[in-house]
Amino acid sequence: MLREEIKNKYQLVVGLEVHAQLLTESKIFASDSTEYGNLPNRQVSVITLGHPGTLPKLNKKVIEYAVKMGLACNSEITRYTIFSRKNYFYPDLPKGFQITQDKGPICVGGVVPIILSDGTEKEIRLNRVHMEEDAGKSIHLAGEIDTLVDFNRAGTPLIEIVSEPDIRTSEEAYAFLTEIKKIVKYLEICDGNMEEGSLRCDANVSVMLKGATQYGKKVEIKNMNSFRNVARAIEHEFERQVELIESGETIVSETRTYDPTTGSSSSMRTKEDLNDYRYFPEPDLSPVVISEEWLNSIKSQMPTLPKELYHKFMDVYGLPSYDASFLTEAKEIALWFEELCTKTTNYKAASNWVMGPIKSLLNEYALHIKDFPIKTETLANLIALIDDGKVSFTAASQKIYPELVKATGEAPLDIAKRLNLIQESDEGSLKPIVESVLAENSGKVAEYKSGKKGLMGMFMGEVMKKSKGKADPKVATKLLTELLEN
């Protein structure tokens, strides 16, 4: 383990390459299905396999999805773009080359805003977003020396989101990936599922002395199957490179694979130069021209993005940063909350309900918010009952809410009446109860008056017992304060 004073001499520098598998029904250049989980080699055709005499045909949706990503990141949209062949041999690449974009990617530049745990906001610049086809999948079965290949994934459309080397900590890398996942899910162009491989990430990691202006040699880390493992791999690689430099050794520019079980990495191959890929324009595909009309049509389909909702929830609804971040984590939750806010003005209470009881129920039963049995108008009525002092939050959350979940159609007020939960807010009715509690606890009253103000909670508890939980806490507290302070 490196000493902190040694680590503090160096600056971590990271650039990420994120591959997002697009949610099209067919592949980028063929009509094969992109459905996940089918039996191996069932979703292939002569076009996917690159048989002689076959020609690719571009899937229009892929262009539109890539442009949406560029618009979301404020990238420059390339109006005249071409595809290229990237030549390399690998068992799961059926044609012996990959159709991708080299010069003139569909989106150039742009930024992805991130928010760190301390509330710091930072923008990570993008170098490009380009389109390409996925390779197949090599499968290594336990105990087998042979490698099996499944070509179902080959030809599935991808966008590769390439950041500039602006990331300086593993936390920033984690935040960047989290934001990318939110954006693609809000745009509905990728499901963001790392476990199924629909969102994959490679990290380019280097170190340099703090204050230096020249980056060190970068090392590419592959095979990371979760955001947490990306962060762990970056931390490991930072320490590994610092140790090498401190011991006088040279950093080798290479590709390494990360093993999350051991928390270590190992070399796969030395890093190829770009020239090794022998890029040249794809001769079987025409250039893509994005007209003003087409671009405007794509713009008109753009949803409200998570960053916009995050600031709206804070600026318009007055929510703290934590709430806004939580509520914008998933598009469907954010939109449900927005609808709820059209039915109530107690936005903080609405937020608390969504983050607490509602999210808990969704998680417990693995429900989507669209299947949540309580309508926004019904929940707004329940919030109003609490705000009006008719029921306590405890009664609402523990008694009324479970009844509403049953979806019987009964109104919150009717449930409160049926269960005898309506609070007593009349001072004339509550005052005798409060006076009785104080009379029965004269010793504690004396202690309170001598300075033990913490006894107020005990008095309130006794009032709630005598009233069978029906005393309005605000009114009861007011009466207790008046009688104890006199």
Side-chain angles (χ1 to χ4, degrees):
M1 182 68 70
L2 282 172
R3 298 197 311 272
E4 283 301 315
E5 59 266 28
I6 294 177
K7 290 168 66 173
N8 288 337
K9 289 167 53 181
Y10 294 89
Q11 176 63 65
L12 171 69
V13 178
V14 178
L16 295 180
E17 299 172 3
V18 183
H19 291 83
Q21 206 172 80
L22 300 180
L23 284 174
T24 56
E25 293 182 6
S26 57
K27 295 182 179 178
I28 185 170
F29 302 119
S31 60
D32 312 347
S33 171
T34 57
E35 183 182 358
Y36 178 81
N38 207 339
L39 291 172
N41 298 308
R42 294 296 191 274
Q43 294 164 200
V44 294
S45 65
V46 291
I47 296 177
T48 296
L49 297 176
H51 283 197
T54 60
L55 292 173
K57 183 178 180 181
L58 179 59
N59 186 334
K60 183 180 178 183
K61 276 288 182 193
V62 175
I63 298 285
E64 294 178 344
Y65 285 179
V67 170
K68 280 186 175 183
M69 188 64 191
L71 293 173
C73 299
N74 292 317
S75 305
E76 180 184 343
I77 308 301
T78 305
R79 307 296 286 275
Y80 180 94
T81 185
I82 64 170
F83 285 92
S84 297
R85 287 189 184 182
K86 179 180 180 182
N87 297 274
Y88 63 98
F89 175 77
Y90 209 68
D92 57 15
L93 196 66
K95 297 193 291 285
F97 61 85
Q98 178 190 37
I99 302 179
T100 181
Q101 290 192 292
D102 178 27
K103 296 178 175 62
I106 187 71
C107 309
V108 178
V111 295
V112 173
I114 62 171
I115 302 171
L116 303 178
S117 57
D118 63 359
T120 302
E121 295 192 32
K122 179 177 178 178
E123 289 187 338
I124 305 299
R125 293 174 301 148
L126 296 184
N127 177 277
R128 60 195 279 154
V129 177
H130 67 260
M131 303 171 288
E132 62 187 21
E133 61 179 340
D134 207 347
K137 185 177 183 181
S138 297
I139 301 171
H140 309 277
L141 299 178
E144 295 285 342
I145 60 172
D146 295 326
T147 298
L148 303 180
V149 180
D150 177 9
F151 287 125
N152 280 351
R153 196 174 68 184
T156 297
L158 300 174
I159 52 171
E160 182 172 349
I161 304 142
V162 183
S163 84
E164 295 287 2
D166 288 353
I167 295 168
R168 293 293 176 267
T169 66
S170 59
E171 184 191 359
E172 288 182 10
Y174 187 95
F176 176 83
L177 289 172
T178 300
E179 194 63 27
I180 290 290
K181 180 177 179 177
K182 285 166 67 172
I183 291 171
V184 297
K185 293 190 73 174
Y186 268 72
L187 294 172
E188 297 180 1
I189 63 174
C190 174
D191 63 20
N193 191 327
M194 285 196 82
E195 291 74 21
E196 294 182 1
S198 54
L199 196 68
R200 308 197 292 275
C201 174
D202 300 332
N204 293 302
V205 182
S206 66
V207 299
M208 61 182 182
L209 287 170
K210 287 184 177 178
T213 56
Q214 186 172 353
Y215 295 146
K217 281 188 179 178
K218 69 180 180 181
V219 173
E220 183 182 37
I221 312 294
K222 286 183 173 289
N223 295 346
M224 297 169 290
N225 60 0
S226 73
F227 294 173
R228 185 64 60 196
N229 283 336
V230 172
R232 289 177 61 205
I234 288 170
E235 290 286 350
H236 165 75
E237 183 60 21
F238 172 66
E239 292 199 6
R240 189 188 74 86
Q241 292 189 25
V242 169
E243 283 181 347
L244 288 173
I245 294 169
E246 285 290 309
S247 61
E249 298 183 51
T250 302
I251 304 295
V252 177
S253 185
E254 61 183 340
T255 298
R256 299 180 69 85
T257 181
Y258 179 71
D259 183 348
T261 305
T262 62
S264 61
S265 65
S266 56
S267 180
M268 293 174 66
R269 57 183 179 270
T270 56
K271 192 70 178 163
E272 300 100 333
D273 292 329
L274 287 179
N275 290 336
D276 290 340
Y277 291 127
R278 304 187 315 282
Y279 283 103
F280 64 86
E282 168 56 60
D284 293 334
L285 286 168
S286 301
V288 177
V289 178
I290 300 176
S291 66
E292 194 71 27
E293 181 183 8
W294 191 11
L295 183 58
N296 287 335
S297 173
I298 298 171
K299 286 179 179 178
S300 70
Q301 301 167 27
M302 291 290 288
T304 305
L305 295 169
K307 182 184 178 183
E308 298 170 56
L309 286 176
Y310 172 82
H311 287 292
K312 178 180 180 180
F313 289 177
M314 290 197 297
D315 299 340
V316 177
Y317 299 146
L319 298 180
S321 174
Y322 177 84
D323 293 41
S325 181
F326 183 98
L327 293 167
T328 55
E329 190 68 34
K331 180 181 181 180
E332 59 273 12
I333 296 290
L335 296 181
W336 198 90
F337 175 74
E338 277 227 285
E339 183 184 336
L340 176 58
C341 288
T342 65
K343 313 283 175 58
T344 179
T345 56
N346 191 341
Y347 307 126
K348 179 56 181 166
S351 173
N352 290 342
W353 273 98
V354 174
M355 294 193 301
I358 293 174
K359 188 63 175 176
S360 177
L361 184 82
L362 296 179
N363 289 342
E364 183 178 355
Y365 294 101
L367 289 176
H368 190 281
I369 189 66
K370 65 179 171 55
D371 300 317
F372 183 61
I374 303 175
K375 295 180 179 179
T376 52
E377 184 176 359
T378 303
L379 185 61
N381 290 337
L382 182 57
I383 292 171
L385 283 184
I386 302 168
D387 291 346
D388 294 341
K390 292 181 179 178
V391 298
S392 67
F393 175 78
T394 301
S397 60
Q398 296 181 6
K399 304 286 187 180
I400 301 175
Y401 177 68
E403 292 293 310
L404 291 173
V405 168
K406 295 175 183 177
T408 60
E410 196 174 5
L413 180 57
D414 294 336
I415 295 173
K417 289 177 179 177
R418 173 166 61 83
L419 298 179
N420 196 26
L421 298 173
I422 300 297
Q423 287 187 147
E424 182 59 71
S425 300
D426 179 59
E427 288 191 20
S429 301
L430 285 179
K431 191 170 183 180
I433 296 175
V434 173
E435 290 174 336
S436 172
V437 167
L438 297 181
E440 292 171 7
N441 295 275
S442 55
K444 297 294 184 183
V445 171
E447 290 181 35
Y448 178 91
K449 291 189 175 183
S450 67
K452 290 190 176 181
K453 303 300 182 184
L455 289 168
M456 178 61 81
M458 185 276 292
F459 293 132
M460 270 297 297
E462 292 300 313
V463 170
M464 295 307 289
K465 282 182 188 177
K466 276 190 173 292
S467 67
K468 297 181 180 178
K470 296 177 67 176
D472 186 330
K474 293 178 183 177
V475 178
T477 301
K478 177 175 175 289
L479 289 172
L480 278 167
T481 302
E482 288 176 354
L483 292 172
L484 285 167
E485 298 296 338
N486 288 337

